[in-house]
Amino acid sequence: MSDFLTAMAEASARRASGLHERGGSSDLEARLRSAPPPRQLRPGEGSFDVIAEPKLASPTRGRLIDDGDVSTVVALARAFADAGAIAISVLTEETRFGGSIDHLETVTATVDVPVMRKDFLVDPIQVDEARAAGASGVLLIARLLPGGLIVEMTDRALSLGMFVLVEVFDRSDLETAFPVFDRDVLVGVNCRDLGTLEVDKSRFRSLAPHLPDQLPAVAESGIETEDDVVEVRELGYSLALVGSSLVTSERPAESLAELIRAGRTVPTGSR
């Protein structure tokens, strides 16, 4: 595992440990009972959809929006939802991405589309935390969840009515994630190497034939232009997760709408 991914996983484990130590389980149970029902993610049959991410920072580019705060995240989330995003991805990792659980809670209370927690989740209690904050889905990174942990966390999310986006980087990750491919999950290919943090878009093509045919495939990272959308659509991806290119656009909502239109003008390819 890369130094970056190891550091993020260790930080996430410390946060999860803090939840346990503070008696978070009992508090979460009460919040889970009072949380509104999760919104269902419904990708269009034979269509193309975008999960939009109103991020404030990234490890590779630093701050994406000067003086951005929770109000900026909420304003972008609302604009993306109005522009046709099928869901909003909200980062809750604080150190490298400037995210927060508070962002998640505020966005879920503001938009009418499903909201997904994106973080380096390593403990089922963090799935509960996401649901208690109003999230309708979670991102699970296969490389961080060896053995039965990916099954445990996937099943926990599904039992709460949430959707799960399982993220892979290579064939080894696909083997790790294989035990949950008989569930109703999304499988995402991240073309960013978490060792070098470089983007390699050829990963979309090389992994496409090995993805489970019955599950919607999501192209993650490196999607910036309409041509990028057309390419992944032709490879059989039916969704894309897009963040930085939208946030840094002079017209974020319009840029999102253009990506969605581009994807829907191309018949889906086969994987």
Side-chain angles (χ1 to χ4, degrees):
M1 190 185 298
S2 72
D3 291 342
F4 171 80
L5 200 55
T6 299
M8 293 297 96
E10 290 175 348
S12 188
R14 287 194 295 271
R15 294 199 301 274
S17 177
L19 282 172
H20 286 291
E21 291 173 0
R22 293 193 301 271
S25 294
S26 59
D27 176 64
L28 281 178
E29 288 173 5
R31 294 173 61 202
L32 283 169
R33 288 194 296 270
S34 62
R39 298 185 178 98
Q40 298 304 300
L41 185 75
R42 295 187 174 90
E45 183 73 25
S47 185
F48 182 84
D49 293 292
V50 172
I51 301 171
E53 188 170 88
K55 64 202 302 183
L56 296 178
S58 78
T60 55
R61 301 175 64 174
R63 294 291 296 186
L64 298 173
I65 302 175
D66 293 335
D67 301 321
D69 57 16
V70 63
S71 63
T72 308
V73 173
V74 171
L76 283 168
R78 184 183 294 115
F80 292 154
D82 291 344
I86 192 173
I88 303 297
S89 169
V90 175
L91 285 149
T92 60
E93 198 286 320
E94 299 178 5
T95 306
R96 300 292 188 98
F97 293 92
S100 167
I101 283 289
D102 290 341
H103 295 180
L104 183 65
E105 290 179 335
T106 308
V107 170
T108 58
T110 302
V111 300
D112 293 327
V113 298
V115 178
M116 178 183 76
R117 180 183 187 182
K118 185 178 178 185
D119 206 327
F120 300 85
L121 305 181
V122 294
D123 189 302
I125 198 171
Q126 294 170 304
V127 176
D128 290 353
E129 184 186 30
R131 179 78 279 274
S136 297
V138 287
L139 175 86
L140 299 180
I141 301 173
R143 191 163 298 183
L144 297 181
L145 306 172
L149 189 53
I150 192 168
V151 173
E152 182 180 0
M153 292 184 68
T154 297
D155 287 348
R156 180 56 181 165
L158 294 176
S159 74
L160 293 171
M162 306 172 80
F163 70 87
V164 177
L165 171 54
V166 178
E167 180 175 284
V168 302
F169 300 93
D170 55 26
R171 295 282 296 278
S172 177
D173 289 344
L174 282 172
E175 293 179 8
T176 299
F178 179 78
V180 301
F181 286 161
D182 62 349
R183 277 78 160 171
D184 186 13
V185 300
L186 308 172
V187 56
V189 173
N190 192 335
C191 74
R192 185 179 298 281
D193 186 316
L194 289 187
T196 65
L197 296 181
E198 295 295 324
V199 168
D200 178 7
K201 295 182 184 179
S202 68
R203 193 184 303 267
F204 292 137
R205 181 175 297 278
S206 63
L207 285 186
H210 306 288
L211 303 179
D213 291 334
Q214 78 279 11
L215 298 179
V218 186
E220 303 178 48
S221 298
I223 304 298
E224 299 179 347
T225 68
E226 294 177 46
D227 287 344
D228 291 331
V229 167
V230 169
E231 181 175 358
V232 297
R233 179 66 170 153
E234 290 176 340
L235 290 171
Y237 294 84
S238 54
L239 301 98
L241 173 58
V242 188
S244 298
S245 65
L246 295 178
V247 170
T248 57
S249 169
E250 294 181 358
R251 303 172 298 112
E254 291 87 344
S255 296
L256 171 60
E258 290 167 0
L259 294 182
I260 295 172
R261 281 195 297 269
R264 293 180 178 177
T265 60
V266 181
T268 183
S270 57
R271 302 199 301 268

